[in-house]
Amino acid sequence: MSNLIDLKDKFFIAGSKGMVGSAIKRTLIKNGYGNKKIGGEILGPSREELDLTDFTNLKCWFKKNNPSIVIIAAAKVGGIYANSNMPFDFILENLKIQNNLIELAWEFGVKRLLFLGSSCIYPRNCPQPISEDYLLSSPLESTNEYYAIAKIAGIKLCESLRKQHQFDSICLMPTNLYGPGDNYHPLNSHVIPSLIRKFHKGKSEGTEYVECWGSGNPLREFLFVDDLASACIFALEKWAPNNLDSDLPNHDSSTCWLNVGCDFELSIKDVALKISKQIGYKGEIIWNNEMPDGTPRKKLDTTRINNLGWVATTDLDKGLEFTIKEYKNNHLKS
């Protein structure tokens, strides 16, 4: 079976300047896409160049540029603090971004659309590991439910377009991500960039201890962002839900979304120890139990995408080493 996308396709990566979008762009280029000499192209306007929440301007952009493949890696994201304190921002901005992009991709006849969600779409206390079938089976985690609801709406919009209009939209639900180009804001970052920043600051300032939020006991899996990017290219090339002509196993998947994760999980405490050791921080680690933990455990079941032929390949220690090095080189002034 030939690939479902072509080297001559024109890609639009929404969010191309972020951690995920930039990883997808470099992976596309690595795989031969975007070569203008053979008719390919990769478009990735910045937020300043194109406001994804402005439907009218975005429609003009689609009409002018006519992309054949749309990848939605753009989103308003943040950790527990940001999600808990800005619920309106998280639900409204994400709904606007994804609704505009998905509707216009359909209206302008885009060949394939890939929407990236998040593992937080699944209920707080659902069975582990988490199968795609557990979506909407019980209540969400309260600390990120507004973001999660927006992402669920995006999945259902893609699913409904596939069912009603046969629009070729697919979705991937990645687990916790980390890697080069992450957000290291002191309040709005996710766990790994937050810990990298804290321990590097602690080492630089010679502090006796570093305070981390929560108990440190929740279990998490962490996926290197370039592994997610490889999953995106794999899915775009090979995965067609309910396509009986597909030569991949399990081609009759009943969903338009797949989980993307790795084969391990560990506690936040263990992650903190790994990061502090790699950075060389010698002080004490104190856990502030008054701060929220979030979901106790969140391990994705990746059987479906693994059976299709994709697996994550980056070891956590190597991924952390690469990420810490990139942080020291590019983000210490932030």
Side-chain angles (χ1 to χ4, degrees), residues 155-314:
I155 297 169
K156 290 301 180 181
L157 183 55
C158 288
E159 184 181 50
S160 63
L161 277 169
R162 176 175 283 277
K163 287 182 177 180
Q164 185 175 340
H165 296 289
Q166 295 74 54
F167 178 61
D168 192 3
S169 54
I170 57 174
C171 312
L172 295 182
M173 300 300 116
T175 189
N176 305 282
L177 299 170
Y178 72 101
D182 210 337
N183 169 30
Y184 292 91
H185 189 278
L187 294 178
N188 297 339
S189 59
H190 288 112
V191 59
I192 283 184
S194 175
L195 291 172
I196 289 174
R197 186 182 187 278
K198 284 184 176 183
F199 285 120
H200 191 277
K201 182 179 180 182
K203 180 185 178 182
S204 300
E205 297 178 356
T207 58
E208 294 183 1
Y209 68 90
V210 164
E211 180 181 289
C212 299
W213 283 12
S215 67
N217 294 323
L219 296 172
R220 294 288 184 270
E221 61 178 326
F222 293 97
L223 184 70
F224 192 58
V225 69
D226 286 67
D227 282 346
L228 171 62
S230 75
C232 291
I233 310 311
F234 174 85
L236 283 168
E237 288 182 340
K238 302 294 185 183
W239 181 48
N242 302 311
N243 183 354
L244 298 180
D245 295 325
S246 173
D247 61 358
L248 294 174
N250 292 348
H251 56 261
D252 57 342
S253 172
S254 61
T255 69
C256 70
W257 67 95
L258 293 174
N259 291 337
V260 184
C262 50
D263 61 356
F264 65 87
E265 62 180 335
L266 67 169
S267 71
I268 302 298
K269 279 185 178 179
D270 287 336
V271 177
L273 288 172
K274 282 180 177 290
I275 292 173
S276 64
K277 182 177 180 180
Q278 286 206 22
I279 289 176
Y281 176 71
K282 303 297 184 181
E284 185 180 0
I285 302 175
I286 294 177
W287 294 92
N288 182 351
N289 291 301
E290 294 184 358
M291 302 306 292
D293 268 339
T295 304
R297 186 187 180 204
K298 192 166 61 173
K299 177 72 179 77
L300 292 183
D301 182 346
T302 57
T303 300
R304 287 179 178 173
I305 195 168
N306 295 158
N307 286 344
L308 291 173
W310 179 89
V311 292
T313 59
T314 305

Side-chain angles (χ1 to χ4, degrees), residues 1-12 27-29 31-42 67-71 110-113 168 232-239:
M1 177 185 172
S2 60
N3 285 345
L4 297 170
I5 57 175
D6 190 88
L7 294 178
K8 296 180 180 180
D9 276 317
K10 181 185 287 190
F11 292 81
F12 171 28
T27 304
L28 281 169
I29 293 171
N31 284 273
Y33 295 99
N35 186 347
K36 291 187 177 181
K37 293 181 180 179
I38 60 173
E41 192 172 359
I42 299 175
S68 56
I69 308 294
V70 172
I71 302 171
V110 164
K111 184 167 75 175
R112 299 212 85 190
L113 177 140
D168 192 3
C232 291
I233 310 311
F234 174 85
L236 283 168
E237 288 182 340
K238 302 294 185 183
W239 181 48

Side-chain angles (χ1 to χ4, degrees), residues 42-167:
I42 299 175
L43 304 172
S46 67
R47 186 177 302 178
E48 291 73 25
E49 295 168 330
L50 182 63
D51 181 0
L52 300 177
T53 67
D54 187 328
F55 185 86
T56 301
N57 285 340
L58 187 58
K59 185 172 183 176
C60 291
W61 186 94
F62 265 85
K63 186 176 182 180
K64 177 181 178 181
N65 293 281
N66 194 32
S68 56
I69 308 294
V70 172
I71 302 171
I72 305 178
K76 182 175 181 60
V77 298
I80 288 178
Y81 178 89
N83 274 274
S84 298
N85 287 273
M86 296 183 290
F88 174 79
D89 295 12
F90 274 86
I91 192 168
L92 183 62
E93 187 169 336
N94 282 303
L95 284 172
K96 284 183 176 181
I97 290 170
Q98 64 202 35
N99 288 354
N100 289 348
L101 287 166
I102 295 168
E103 181 180 354
L104 288 170
W106 167 61
E107 182 178 330
F108 281 87
V110 164
K111 184 167 75 175
R112 299 212 85 190
L113 177 140
L114 171 61
F115 173 67
L116 289 172
S118 165
S119 59
C120 73
I121 64 167
Y122 295 112
R124 172 184 170 85
N125 295 316
C126 65
Q128 305 281 328
I130 305 170
S131 164
E132 289 89 347
D133 299 329
Y134 296 152
L135 183 65
L136 298 175
S137 61
S138 61
L140 297 165
E141 160 61 34
S142 61
T143 57
N144 58 25
E145 69 173 318
Y146 296 92
Y147 174 77
I149 288 171
K151 287 296 183 181
I152 293 169
I155 297 169
K156 290 301 180 181
L157 183 55
C158 288
E159 184 181 50
S160 63
L161 277 169
R162 176 175 283 277
K163 287 182 177 180
Q164 185 175 340
H165 296 289
Q166 295 74 54
F167 178 61

